[in-house]
Amino acid sequence: MMTQHTSKEFDEDLKSLSEMIAEMGGLAEQLVGESISALLSRDLAAAQRIIERDRVIDSLQHAVEEKAVLTIAKRQPMAVDLREVVAALRVSNDLERIGDLAKNIAKRVVALEGQLQPPKLAGGVDHMGELVLGQLKEVLDAYSRRDATRALQVWKRDGEIDAIYTSLFRELLTYMMEDPRNIGFCTHLLFCAKNIERIGDHATNIAETIHYLAVGEPLIDERPKGDLTSTTTISFGED
Amino acid sequence: MAEILVSCHCHAAVPLSQQSEEAAMTLVWDGKANAVEGSVFLRRLKRGRIAIGAALVVLAALWGLGLLPLWIAALSAIAVPLATAFTPLDDRATVPVSQTERDADPLAVALLEALNEPAILLTARGIVHEFNAPAIDVFGNLRTGDPVSFALRVPEILDAVRAVGTGGTARTVEYADRVPVDRWLEARIGPVWLDQADRERGNPQFVLLVLHDLTHLRRAERMRVDFVANASHELRTPLAALLGFIETLQGPAKADVSARERFLDIMRSQAARMSRLVDDLLSLSRIEQKQHLRPSTPVDPVEIVRSVVDSLSPLAGERGVEIRSSFPGTSVSVPGDRDELIRVVENLVENGIKYGQSGKRVDVSVTATGPEIRISVQDYGPGIPPEHLPRLTERFYRVDVGESREKGGTGLGLAIVKHIMARHRGRLLIESPSGGGARFTAVLNTRADE
């Protein structure tokens, strides 16, 4: 936990950095959740709103950067205080990327307008979205509490999202081979799934940052990998 | 609504003070207010005295040195500190930025507890000041002196807290949580005015945030939508088959006795599948309905597994499968819903018998390690290809559609298991090594917290 400094304003500076990160996190969670439900319900109006709201995250990121640089210049932080500022910079970067990815999903909802959707496919994306939202919530809670153990759990669990992405990838390929009319729709959905998977990766990045912040050393183990799509092929057989 | 709650807050203190001037509760408010005003007055006075003193010293020095022209300048120099010393200080600037050092406010705590809904009292700047026990249940992560965003990150709520803290009117924000379980909540945010002067300046002393759970309402709406969507899609196939056979029996096969027998058999199995599907959809909805309420009655997992194994032994015998069970030496118990946990074990063992039939054996075990109770079901059948493992708990996801339908599956069994485990804040682990066999483990937590 944060210890008290002789200079009260220094504590306030650090706390307001975390506060801005928490606020960015809340926005990121909301954008991810809403972009996935906009994708599943093909809600154009919601998608447009998400595209607009991403700007708020961007401007918050600039604010965090400015505040962090100012804090370094003014207070010359050392040890855990320095890590605190560096972590805020890193986490805000990841959250900004998460916002972008959610915005990309929303843009695809707009692009998908008017195309038929096989209802069965939605289940996989929904399931993946649920897992990613869970990871994001956990990692942001872990950041607020500076809880390295919880962060480590998030870091270890990313394999689940990768595994489901691999499975979805196979399923979508099968659909495209079944009927070429599915290709347009499935390709968009594939990119959406990839975006969701990338959001999961950013959540693990944040988990790594929390570990570094709390423990002072980077996580060096190889993360369990479940994304096998780079080696997945489906042969054209007789079925 | 928040306005009403806030005004209750103020009114509660008035009749008490009328009843007895020594009422401890009112003393807290009045005493505090007086103390603040007193200290501000002292500070002003002190500042004024220092300013006058300093000005007099300067004057004396100037007199001594005979610098008359500077007299006029010095006189005006006195006027400035004198004027500023007695102008009211901005109270806001003297309120400590972080409230960590302040003691818990007994009346505030008592009122928050009386609300019986999650409630947090924030400073005007959105720093947690006091909170009640239900709030801890919801957020778990509350610390006095932290910004509220450490516990609650919903952007609309943070915006509302900011607006109310700077003099805005009370407002209501509705939001939904998707994880760990779906939950719909309404946050009511209102200003707390402790005196008229604050109200006139538009600077509330505190902001009160009260949460109201809307899950039961929203869930019912969602359930109806989901039910219609799922049911219409999944019931269409067997219904179309039924209609086709009825038409054939009325038309070309009217007099064909052997075809009639065969068709009626198929029709019966299709109708039975539809009725199972409706049953499963209904029980899934029922479980979802109360998913946000974690069960708390202690149940005995060993007794549950025993009774399920007994009830399924005829089915196992029919399919030539032997069920072996093993239990821990000591007695165990876990907070849970007995009927739902029976459903979990039943679904898992039944799947083991049906899909692992070729292995001729199903092992069921209950183990206790630390705070965790694991109920695990292992079959020795062909196993499940790895690409399907992460998807098994999705509604209507089937590894092999034909095989599942043939065995009477609805595609909802594991979705039901997953929802029951989520309600118990437990986990379902699925493993299937490439050599064959599959192991499903329901992990339950004996601790009441997360």
Side-chain angles (χ1 to χ4, degrees):
Chain A
M1 289 303 135
M2 275 184 250
T3 43
Q4 299 269 313
H5 287 99
T6 329
S7 160
K8 197 118 190 238
E9 289 92 51
F10 190 11
D11 285 331
E12 290 302 323
D13 280 350
L14 292 181
K15 210 163 232 185
S16 82
L17 265 178
S18 311
E19 197 179 346
M20 281 196 262
I21 296 287
E23 201 171 339
M24 275 184 87
L27 265 166
E29 274 177 299
Q30 190 181 50
L31 289 189
V32 173
E34 282 183 2
S35 67
I36 293 168
S37 52
L39 176 69
L40 295 178
S41 60
R42 310 289 287 277
D43 185 342
L44 266 184
Q48 301 283 13
R49 267 202 310 278
I50 293 158
I51 296 170
E52 283 299 306
R53 287 213 82 172
D54 179 51
R55 286 195 201 141
V56 186
I57 292 201
D58 292 352
S59 64
L60 265 168
Q61 194 218 357
H62 287 307
V64 169
E65 241 163 48
E66 227 163 83
K67 179 106 194 166
V69 169
L70 205 67
T71 309
I72 293 176
K74 250 187 359 196
R75 317 271 177 207
Q76 314 244 324
M78 310 266 281
V80 71
D81 300 330
L82 181 60
R83 292 205 301 275
E84 188 81 40
V85 180
V86 172
L89 277 172
R90 281 204 212 160
V91 174
S92 76
N93 249 332
D94 281 312
L95 289 174
E96 191 268 334
R97 287 295 302 142
I98 289 174
D100 281 350
L101 290 164
K103 185 178 71 180
N104 285 348
I105 296 173
K107 281 185 176 165
R108 286 188 191 278
V109 176
V110 180
L112 276 171
E113 164 70 348
Q115 293 191 41
L116 257 168
Q117 172 172 349
K120 203 184 142 222
L121 284 175
V125 176
D126 192 26
H127 186 182
M128 207 170 154
E130 203 176 291
L131 283 180
V132 164
L133 276 175
Q135 290 280 83
L136 197 54
K137 183 183 152 61
E138 273 295 297
V139 87
L140 289 170
D141 283 348
Y143 177 78
S144 292
R145 298 184 201 193
R146 304 288 183 269
D147 187 339
T149 344
R150 246 174 119 172
L152 198 66
Q153 278 166 3
V154 171
W155 189 75
K156 283 184 179 151
R157 227 178 296 144
D158 188 55
E160 264 177 61
I161 294 173
D162 290 346
I164 196 170
Y165 172 63
T166 308
S167 167
L168 207 62
F169 182 83
R170 287 181 68 98
E171 197 182 355
L172 287 168
L173 283 194
T174 325
Y175 267 101
M176 291 193 226
M177 287 189 305
E178 266 173 21
D179 186 345
R181 278 172 301 179
N182 285 339
I183 290 179
F185 168 76
C186 286
T187 310
H188 279 302
L189 214 55
L190 197 55
F191 276 112
C192 289
K194 183 71 199 168
N195 282 345
I196 299 175
E197 190 262 342
R198 292 289 304 149
I199 293 171
D201 287 347
H202 283 290
T204 48
N205 279 353
I206 298 176
E208 281 170 23
T209 305
I210 296 167
H211 188 270
Y212 161 78
L213 165 60
V215 181
E217 281 163 23
L219 265 173
I220 33 173
D221 291 1
E222 190 66 19
R223 192 160 55 80
K225 264 304 207 185
D227 176 4
L228 304 171
T229 50
S230 50
T231 54
T232 298
T233 51
I234 295 178
S235 57
F236 282 89
E238 296 306 310
D239 199 69
Chain B
M1 273 314 269
E3 189 82 287
I4 294 167
L5 292 171
V6 172
S7 51
C8 285
H9 212 123
C10 302
H11 287 212
V14 177
L16 270 176
S17 66
Q18 284 165 348
Q19 278 165 17
S20 147
E21 278 187 338
E22 281 156 26
M25 277 170 131
T26 52
L27 271 180
V28 175
W29 287 121
D30 298 340
K32 196 157 253 173
N34 288 341
V36 169
E37 261 167 37
S39 70
V40 168
F41 179 71
L42 271 178
R43 236 175 301 148
R44 283 176 199 159
L45 205 65
K46 224 196 267 172
R47 234 172 69 174
R49 245 189 255 155
I50 293 168
I52 298 166
L56 284 176
V57 169
V58 172
L59 270 182
L62 290 175
W63 178 261
L65 289 171
L67 295 169
L68 276 171
L70 284 174
W71 255 92
I72 300 151
L75 265 177
S76 57
I78 300 174
V80 177
L82 269 180
T84 51
F86 291 100
T87 48
L89 281 178
D90 182 8
D91 283 354
R92 197 131 305 281
T94 64
V95 170
V97 183
S98 159
Q99 300 273 351
T100 26
E101 311 93 317
R102 289 188 60 166
D103 289 337
D105 224 326
L107 178 59
V109 173
L111 285 173
L112 290 181
E113 293 294 346
L115 274 175
N116 206 18
E117 276 196 299
I120 313 175
L121 189 63
L122 304 164
T123 67
R125 292 182 66 249
I127 310 287
V128 176
H129 184 68
E130 300 293 355
F131 47 85
N132 60 8
I136 301 174
D137 292 343
V138 176
F139 302 113
N141 188 23
L142 282 168
R143 261 210 324 265
T144 309
D146 272 355
V148 66
S149 58
F150 282 16
L152 186 60
R153 289 184 293 265
V154 180
E156 285 85 6
I157 293 183
L158 297 181
D159 287 345
V161 167
R162 251 192 299 269
V164 171
T166 49
T169 50
R171 52 202 74 197
T172 304
V173 176
E174 194 181 321
Y175 71 102
D177 261 352
R178 278 196 71 186
V179 279
V181 292
D182 276 327
R183 208 165 48 172
W184 284 263
L185 294 153
E186 185 181 76
R188 297 151 181 185
I189 300 131
V192 178
W193 309 103
L194 290 185
D195 59 52
Q196 193 56 33
D198 279 339
R199 199 187 279 270
E200 278 156 15
R201 265 201 307 270
N203 280 331
Q205 212 78 29
F206 296 104
V207 173
L208 182 66
L209 191 158
V210 184
L211 288 183
H212 180 59
D213 199 331
L214 297 177
T215 308
H216 56 290
L217 289 173
R218 296 286 173 273
R219 170 78 66 201
E221 286 167 24
R222 247 277 288 277
M223 195 176 90
R224 212 171 40 230
V225 175
D226 281 2
F227 186 83
V228 171
N230 288 327
S232 58
H233 185 71
E234 286 293 317
L235 289 175
R236 209 158 42 199
T237 326
L239 205 55
L242 269 184
L243 279 174
F245 284 119
I246 291 171
E247 275 166 24
T248 319
L249 281 177
Q250 284 174 331
K254 209 168 196 169
D256 188 338
V257 179
S258 70
R260 189 165 61 210
E261 284 301 305
R262 216 172 61 237
F263 285 2
L264 282 172
D265 270 351
I266 300 172
M267 284 164 73
R268 194 179 55 202
S269 78
Q270 289 291 348
R273 193 164 95 79
M274 282 170 69
S275 109
R276 266 198 311 276
L277 199 59
V278 172
D279 285 348
D280 276 2
L281 279 170
L282 282 175
S283 55
L284 194 58
S285 298
R286 265 198 303 274
I287 295 158
E288 281 198 319
Q289 182 79 38
K290 45 186 180 178
Q291 199 176 30
H292 61 295
L293 306 168
R294 190 181 169 183
S296 55
T297 356
V299 293
D300 178 0
V302 171
E303 184 266 332
I304 286 173
V305 170
R306 277 218 174 91
S307 76
V308 171
V309 168
D310 283 348
S311 71
L312 285 177
S313 54
L315 177 76
E318 220 173 85
R319 309 245 175 160
V321 176
E322 182 196 354
I323 305 179
R324 294 185 196 174
S325 39
S326 70
F327 302 112
T330 52
S331 75
V332 283
S333 97
V334 69
D337 183 314
R338 188 169 181 274
D339 292 342
E340 288 187 357
L341 289 178
I342 284 183
R343 190 76 202 256
V344 167
V345 181
E346 217 170 54
N347 274 339
L348 295 181
V349 176
E350 215 177 289
N351 280 351
I353 296 171
K354 281 184 192 163
Y355 298 101
Q357 193 179 353
S358 60
K360 307 244 173 270
R361 196 179 122 198
V362 171
D363 292 342
V364 188
S365 71
V366 178
T367 47
T369 41
E372 281 182 353
I373 304 269
R374 286 166 178 253
I375 303 173
S376 116
V377 178
Q378 163 92 50
D379 71 51
Y380 298 89
I384 304 157
E387 67 267 24
H388 295 298
L389 284 183
R391 314 280 307 276
L392 288 178
T393 55
E394 289 170 20
R395 277 173 197 210
F396 302 118
Y397 187 89
R398 295 176 176 97
V399 173
D400 182 330
V401 177
E403 194 195 4
S404 162
R405 295 224 166 113
E406 188 187 307
K407 298 203 159 138
T410 58
L412 288 172
L414 287 177
I416 291 175
V417 169
K418 179 189 145 187
H419 274 93
I420 295 176
M421 293 314 291
R423 185 181 169 218
H424 285 75
R425 306 294 187 266
R427 283 175 295 149
L428 176 70
L429 305 177
I430 310 174
E431 299 150 274
S432 181
S434 52
R439 175 199 284 272
F440 290 78
T441 309
V443 185
L444 291 160
N445 203 327
T446 51
R447 274 199 303 249
D449 54 346
E450 296 282 310

